[in-house]
Amino acid sequence: MKPNLPCHANYKYLQSTPHYVSRLSNIDPIGLADQEFWNQSQEATIGFLRHSEIKHGLVAMAAFVGYCVQSSSTFPWPQTLAGDLHPAASLSPEAQWDATPLSAKFQIILVIGLLEIWDELGGNLGEDNANGDCPGLDHYMKGRQPGKYPTFDQFTNSVHFVPNLYDPFGLWKNMKDKTRERRLVAEINNGRLAMIGIFSVLAADSVAGSVPLLADTARSYDGDIMAPFGSDFSLESNTVVGIISTIGATASLVAGNKSAKRQEEKEEEGLVVSAGGASVSAGEVEVDLSIPYDAPARLAYEASDDNKSLDYDEFRLNFEAEAMKVASEKWAKMFSPVKA
């Protein structure tokens, strides 16, 4: 069975797969994948970027479907303990959010924050199982497959039952690798399309005529979509929203640091992480899964006839210059003003 590739191995896979090459040049025109965020390695940066992209894509898909559903119907049961119903479907989805009680909004944000903390923890409450193994996932900047959300198994065993977000009934645990790979590609592309889609409908509702294709279906909204709490929205530390945001961000940061530190301690004790996330002792055969930053150039060099006439360093410089030129041309073409 093909293992779950860590972030840097995924990057090599994406760069070396023909049907991905052109897409990568479009989605990373300024070379973020070549950076080292927060003084971390390039591999860690790629893990962060890929995980963030997939996560935002999933949220955008949920948002777009929610927008479509809310435009035609709402829940029939009361929204509050006082018996108030949900805002009517005659309102636009944005206006429905504005009409939702502030306490309900805070509950939604709270649940999202808890899910973020669980993701940072890798699904581990800090306890090892009977075999001394860590039952959770590695941090997404330290080898976890980008986009893979941890299960709630340990929380279920320690606190109470919570269904997993992905495959809660175990219907796809025996999925073939080829099918799984195809669905992962579809998930990424659908997420990118959903991010464009949800902002398109929001723009069409807020600014008349901004999206010509949606001019006949847009529902006018005169509020501010970038102020989800209306007049109560402020990130100042002396406001309710500011306090909650500060606490949430701090909790996520602490959880992420805790998860990364726990993994580092395991590695220092003589454990190394394999591609599938399992730990093997340092006395066994270790497989180096690290991918150098110049992997795309090296792959191209090995497949090119120029390797007979040019040394690798010269070929790499030409390769990177040509890649930068192509990316710059596409960037300029995408954002150049349309001539009359």
Side-chain angles (χ1 to χ4, degrees):
M1 182 175 180
K2 183 178 178 180
N4 293 328
L5 298 175
C7 53
H8 41 281
N10 267 300
Y11 186 61
K12 176 184 178 182
Y13 170 73
L14 294 179
Q15 289 283 16
S16 61
T17 304
H19 70 270
Y20 255 118
V21 173
S22 61
R23 298 179 191 177
L24 276 178
S25 63
N26 288 333
I27 64 173
D28 190 20
I30 59 176
L32 289 178
D34 297 324
Q35 307 302 313
E36 296 181 352
F37 291 176
W38 306 295
N39 296 321
Q40 300 294 314
S41 65
Q42 184 196 24
E43 291 82 2
T45 300
I46 293 170
F48 170 82
L49 293 171
R50 296 290 293 160
H51 193 73
S52 178
E53 179 191 26
I54 295 173
K55 183 191 296 184
H56 281 81
L58 293 172
V59 172
M61 285 189 278
F64 188 81
V65 172
Y67 180 96
C68 295
V69 172
Q70 285 182 249
S71 296
S72 58
S73 63
T74 59
F75 294 121
W77 52 80
Q79 184 184 44
T80 67
L81 295 177
D84 298 328
L85 296 176
H86 288 265
S90 58
L91 299 174
S92 67
E94 300 94 334
Q96 291 179 40
W97 171 260
D98 290 341
T100 299
L102 188 60
S103 58
K105 296 178 181 179
F106 284 151
Q107 292 177 47
I108 295 173
I109 301 301
L110 176 62
V111 171
I112 294 174
L114 293 175
L115 292 175
E116 284 289 315
I117 293 174
W118 190 251
D119 185 26
E120 292 292 331
L121 288 173
N124 189 312
L125 294 174
E127 302 174 357
D128 292 344
N129 57 27
N131 298 325
D133 298 327
C134 175
L137 298 176
D138 302 326
H139 194 268
Y140 51 81
M141 293 181 70
K142 285 186 171 292
R144 187 202 309 180
Q145 180 184 7
K148 189 170 186 177
Y149 193 84
T151 67
F152 293 108
D153 293 346
Q154 193 183 42
F155 190 89
T156 296
N157 296 332
S158 303
V159 187
H160 62 73
F161 172 76
V162 176
N164 293 321
L165 295 183
Y166 175 76
D167 194 17
F169 304 107
L171 301 178
W172 302 304
K173 60 182 179 181
N174 296 321
M175 185 186 302
K176 294 182 179 179
D177 291 338
K178 188 173 183 180
T179 302
R180 189 183 303 276
E181 183 176 321
R182 176 175 56 82
R183 291 190 175 185
L184 286 173
V185 173
E187 178 183 50
I188 294 174
N189 289 330
N190 289 336
R192 293 171 182 168
L193 183 61
M195 285 187 276
I196 296 174
I198 186 60
F199 268 93
S200 294
V201 294
L202 293 177
D205 291 348
S206 301
V207 183
S210 60
V211 186
L213 291 176
L214 301 177
D216 296 332
T217 58
R219 308 179 67 176
S220 179
Y221 173 67
D222 58 2
D224 187 352
I225 62 172
M226 302 307 292
F229 294 95
S231 60
D232 299 311
F233 179 75
S234 174
L235 293 180
E236 295 294 333
S237 59
N238 60 344
T239 64
V240 175
V241 178
I243 293 174
I244 294 178
S245 300
T246 301
I247 294 176
T250 302
S252 295
L253 180 61
V254 171
N257 288 337
K258 181 179 180 181
S259 176
K261 184 177 180 180
R262 183 173 62 243
Q263 185 176 342
E264 291 173 356
E265 290 175 349
K266 286 291 185 181
E267 293 173 356
E268 290 175 358
E269 291 173 1
L271 300 178
V272 294
V273 182
S274 71
S279 296
V280 297
S281 65
E284 300 177 10
V285 177
E286 298 181 10
V287 180
D288 183 11
L289 294 173
S290 61
I291 305 299
Y293 76 95
D294 61 341
R298 188 170 293 279
L299 289 170
Y301 179 71
E302 294 173 354
S304 174
D305 294 333
D306 291 340
N307 58 15
K308 298 178 181 178
S309 58
L310 297 176
D311 62 17
Y312 171 68
D313 290 335
E314 186 176 356
F315 178 87
R316 179 176 61 81
L317 292 175
N318 294 337
F319 177 86
E320 293 176 349
E322 182 64 24
M324 181 62 70
K325 178 181 177 182
V326 172
S328 299
E329 290 176 350
K330 289 185 176 181
W331 182 266
K333 185 177 180 180
M334 289 171 60
F335 294 95
S336 60
V338 178
K339 296 182 179 179

